[in-house]
Amino acid sequence: MVKRSLLSSERGQLELFRAHGTALAPRDAQDLMAYPFFSLAKSRRTQPIDYAVSGVVIRVEAVAEHGMATIWDADILIWAASHIVEARDAGLRTSRLMAATPYEILTFIGRGVSARDYQRLKAALDRLQSTTIATTIRQSSEGRRHRFSWINEWVERFDFQGRPAGLELIVPDWFYNAVLDDALILTIDRAYFDLTGGYDRWLYRLVRKHGGRQRKGWQFEFRHLYLKSGSLSPFKRFAFELRGIVHRQPLPGYSLWIEIGPRGQTLLAFAPVTCGQPVDGLVPSGTSPIVPSGTDGSCFQEPKAALTQDTQAENPAPNLESNTDSNFGSRDRRVEENDAQTRDASIAETRDDQ
């Protein structure tokens, strides 16, 4: 927790915005959903994340005392984004200086409200404040990097009896400006907070961002997803985790399946599922005939086969919101005309990674 005098800190220059309510629609910033900004492990991570693809550069650094902010800590940023957007849409004045009670934050993100949960919340705030990011995303000059922490500072407030009365925190302008831009914010399924695995949470955010609500969905190569995850695990372990997610189908509102591309590469494909409308395809062996999608009510999804041979000449329709980041464009028809022996060898090599 940062301790500064009121006059020397940002708090003395910002108008206080009081967040209210726990029943708002959760909103997330697309940049945070698409790129590796958080640790996916619950164990303490101090090794930096370095990502440089297609002109986008990101470096995330942590301190040994607290470790890197995790994908679970990012729930606090989802809480902040949701309240800022809701207030703005209601015509209310918002600010980077936000106030709320721990109960309000914990309830919104689906956590318990015990003393232990409160201590975990404070630990998450410490990680968000001590983690630093340098990125070229949304910078006007080529190569220019914006450096910030997820929370500039935070403080506890106490009542006259010395009991905790609430929290105040300041989000950085890089994050705040993204939240105020409608084009950079997406509503997410509240069932996201029920996802317990780091890979599950990371993949849902990426799928929601890139897959959108297009019926034909989108695809990514396993290798490209590995880069976008920032994971410290070896690639084979990462691929094993992805296949496990495809088998379990835990992502609310989306169906996942695996395809083999025209060059023998392994692809993760995904598409939105409409409640009450099963996805065409076969249920993988060992999977329940009806697999809950994770959404509320009676929304179920029937996953496609766990591994399919891709014979389409073109990708599913691109997500126009994010297709500039995709690693897999129109397929080369000539590749698909290769002889069967070459194709079979490529597929066998890919399956060896399993």
Side-chain angles (χ1 to χ4, degrees):
M1 179 173 59
V2 177
K3 295 182 178 179
R4 299 177 182 175
S5 68
L6 180 62
L7 293 178
S8 64
S9 72
E10 284 186 281
R11 292 191 299 121
Q13 305 172 28
L14 295 172
E15 182 176 346
L16 183 66
F17 167 52
R18 181 71 171 84
H20 291 282
T22 59
L24 310 181
R27 275 108 168 183
D28 205 350
Q30 291 195 44
D31 290 336
L32 275 63
M33 302 166 77
Y35 297 106
F37 282 112
F38 302 99
S39 170
L40 304 185
K42 291 184 178 179
S43 57
R44 182 174 300 182
R45 172 172 177 169
T46 57
Q47 182 173 329
I49 295 175
D50 283 300
Y51 176 88
V53 176
S54 302
V56 173
V57 177
I58 297 170
R59 181 172 175 85
V60 184
E61 297 176 293
V63 297
E65 180 181 0
H66 301 296
M68 185 178 294
T70 70
I71 195 78
W72 296 272
D73 300 338
D75 289 358
I76 298 173
L77 299 177
I78 295 175
W79 164 85
S82 304
H83 281 82
I84 292 171
V85 171
E86 188 75 15
R88 181 207 62 187
D89 291 348
L92 303 177
R93 180 174 296 181
T94 62
S95 171
R96 293 192 294 115
L97 172 58
M98 305 182 66
T101 65
Y103 176 87
E104 290 169 334
I105 298 176
L106 291 169
T107 302
F108 182 88
I109 63 178
R111 309 284 177 86
V113 292
S114 67
R116 185 178 182 184
D117 292 309
Y118 180 44
Q119 293 302 318
R120 287 176 173 173
L121 174 63
K122 292 197 295 183
L125 290 168
D126 280 338
R127 285 188 293 270
L128 290 167
Q129 193 276 325
S130 61
T131 298
T132 58
I133 302 94
T135 181
T136 59
I137 296 175
R138 288 188 281 112
Q139 298 308 295
S140 56
S141 302
E142 184 176 354
R144 176 183 175 185
R145 299 191 186 189
H146 191 126
R147 183 176 290 275
F148 59 92
S149 296
W150 292 120
I151 293 178
N152 289 8
E153 61 178 79
W154 71 276
V155 297
E156 289 181 271
R157 292 186 288 108
F158 298 90
D159 62 19
F160 64 94
Q161 294 181 334
R163 295 174 301 189
L167 301 171
E168 293 179 4
L169 58 89
I170 301 175
V171 296
D173 56 357
W174 186 90
F175 172 78
Y176 184 71
N177 292 334
V179 171
L180 292 180
D181 189 336
D182 275 337
L184 298 178
I185 289 293
L186 288 175
T187 300
I188 63 174
D189 197 310
R190 180 160 289 278
Y192 165 79
F193 296 122
D194 296 329
L195 297 176
T196 58
Y199 283 111
D200 292 11
R201 283 172 159 251
W202 160 76
L203 189 58
Y204 171 80
R205 299 174 85 193
L206 185 137
V207 165
R208 174 68 184 94
K209 197 275 184 190
H210 290 282
R213 303 192 184 281
Q214 300 177 95
R215 287 298 302 164
K216 292 186 178 181
W218 197 237
Q219 298 168 321
F220 275 111
E221 294 180 13
F222 270 38
R223 288 284 180 183
H224 191 60
L225 287 174
Y226 182 56
L227 292 176
K228 292 177 76 67
S229 72
S231 174
L232 290 176
S233 298
F235 174 72
K236 285 191 175 182
R237 178 65 190 181
F238 174 81
F240 174 82
E241 294 287 348
L242 282 191
R243 290 185 173 92
I245 293 174
V246 171
H247 179 75
R248 291 185 287 109
Q249 295 289 320
L251 305 192
Y254 289 91
S255 176
L256 310 172
W257 65 99
I258 296 174
E259 294 182 349
I260 300 300
R263 298 185 300 276
Q265 70 275 45
T266 307
L267 306 173
L268 178 71
F270 44 86
V273 176
T274 303
C275 292
Q277 298 295 325
V279 175
D280 295 334
L282 300 176
V283 178
S285 60
T287 303
S288 173
I290 299 179
V291 182
S293 70
T295 55
D296 294 332
S298 58
C299 183
F300 295 95
Q301 63 182 2
E302 184 178 351
K304 294 193 177 184
L307 185 65
T308 63
Q309 182 67 39
D310 188 7
T311 57
Q312 294 179 332
E314 297 291 334
N315 247 353
N319 180 350
L320 298 181
E321 296 175 347
S322 57
N323 61 355
T324 57
D325 181 58
S326 174
N327 66 307
F328 193 61
S330 298
R331 297 173 178 172
D332 190 345
R333 294 175 183 270
R334 291 174 298 176
V335 175
E336 296 202 355
E337 295 173 357
N338 287 343
D339 59 87
Q341 183 177 0
T342 302
R343 167 63 66 79
D344 291 343
S346 297
I347 294 174
E349 181 180 356
T350 301
R351 287 175 174 167
D352 285 342
D353 285 340
Q354 299 181 26

